[in-house]
């Protein structure tokens, strides 16, 4: 598995990440969602550089232009609900992509012990396509691993791109060992070193779902 940390090159992406982490700016849920969407657009642009291209003829009002455009069939997937703004940002750029959605969440057995429940998956066939799986926070890597396994029941993609803006160092290493496939790339905007006993990323940014859509019961 290849890991690409986009924030290692200075760009406007770092400003968006800083605003998402800022507990004062976080009070504006619309800005938080928009920043997540912006990150999705930036990641989509970076991913577009890895696709397969061929030259096509485009008829203009005055002649013919030869333009290189991508040939891959895309499927964009996300884990509900926190990943929705990120998903939308990616879809803004790959607007002809098909879409998949998975409901996965932590179910706590004891105070600190939990397992991942997957209750719902809606997806087209993934066979021979490029899969982009977006999830805002990558804490332990368990939910992403289970989600990938669930999606692979619907076909084998040629490439898998995991878009996880805020990731823990633990989860990155975990996925390298548990997935490790050459056709998988993990895209991040930050890798945070600390993971608490409750599996929360520090400094992280809090609960992305709550910050986007309000608190839940």
């Amino acid at each position: 598995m290849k890991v690409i940390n986009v924030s290692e090159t200075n760009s406007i992406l770092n400003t968006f990440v800083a605003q998402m982490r800022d507990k004062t700016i976080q009070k504006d849920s619309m800005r938080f969602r928009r920043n997540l969407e912006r990150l999705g657009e930036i990641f989509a642009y970076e991913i577009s550089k890895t696709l397969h291209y061929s030259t096509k003829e485009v008829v203009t009002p005055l002649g013919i232009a030869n333009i290189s455009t991508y040939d891959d069939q895309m499927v964009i997937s996300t884990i509900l609900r926190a990943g929705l703004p990120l998903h939308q940002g990616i879809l803004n750029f790959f607007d002809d992509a098909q879409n998949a959605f998975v409901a996965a969440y932590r179910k706590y057995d004891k105070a600190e012990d939990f397992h991942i429940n997957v209750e719902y998956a809606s997806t087209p066939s993934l066979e021979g396509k490029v899969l982009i799986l977006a999830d805002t926070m990558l804490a332990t890597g368990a939910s992403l691993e289970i989600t990938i396994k669930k999606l692979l029941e619907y076909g084998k993609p040629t490439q898998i791109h995991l878009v996880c803006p805020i990731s823990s160092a633990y989860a990155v290493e975990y996925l390298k060992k548990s997935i490790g496939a050459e056709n998988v790339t993990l895209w991040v905007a930050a890798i945070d070193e600390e993971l608490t006993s409750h599996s929360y990323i520090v400094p992280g940014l809090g609960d992305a779902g709550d910050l986007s859509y309000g608190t839940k019961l």
Side-chain angles (χ1 to χ4, degrees), residues 100-168:
F101 301 92
V102 177
Y105 64 95
R106 294 181 182 183
K107 184 173 179 61
Y108 283 87
D109 307 305
K110 297 179 181 178
E112 297 179 3
D113 298 327
F114 63 87
H115 65 275
I116 305 299
N117 262 16
V118 176
E119 291 189 346
Y120 172 84
S122 173
T123 178
S125 170
L126 303 179
E127 192 67 33
K129 299 174 184 176
V130 173
L131 172 64
I132 302 176
L133 175 54
D135 192 17
T136 304
M137 306 287 287
L138 181 61
T140 66
S143 60
L144 203 66
E145 179 190 23
I146 291 172
T147 299
I148 292 169
K149 289 179 179 178
K150 180 65 178 178
L151 288 172
L152 290 179
E153 295 176 9
Y154 299 90
K156 184 179 180 180
T158 57
Q159 293 289 324
I160 299 175
H161 295 278
L162 309 176
V163 177
C164 305
I166 309 296
S167 302
S168 74

Side-chain angles (χ1 to χ4, degrees), residues 4-75:
I4 299 177
N5 187 346
V6 180
S7 68
E8 289 178 347
T9 300
N10 286 331
S11 73
I12 189 66
L13 172 138
N14 291 343
T15 298
F16 301 147
V17 172
Q19 292 178 358
M20 288 170 57
R21 288 191 192 265
D22 190 307
K23 66 179 184 180
T24 300
I25 300 176
Q26 284 181 350
K27 295 175 182 177
D28 184 348
S29 59
M30 184 170 69
R31 174 169 286 275
F32 187 86
R33 291 194 304 273
R34 180 63 184 121
N35 281 336
L36 259 184
E37 187 176 349
R38 285 165 164 166
L39 290 189
E41 292 171 345
I42 293 171
F43 282 116
Y45 175 75
E46 294 297 326
I47 290 171
S48 75
K49 299 175 184 178
T50 73
L51 302 178
H52 299 92
Y53 285 76
S54 63
T55 302
K56 286 94 170 174
E57 288 188 349
V58 178
V59 179
T60 79
L62 299 176
I64 294 176
N66 293 309
I67 302 176
S68 237
T69 60
Y70 69 85
D71 301 317
D72 303 87
Q73 289 185 287
M74 315 286 293
V75 177

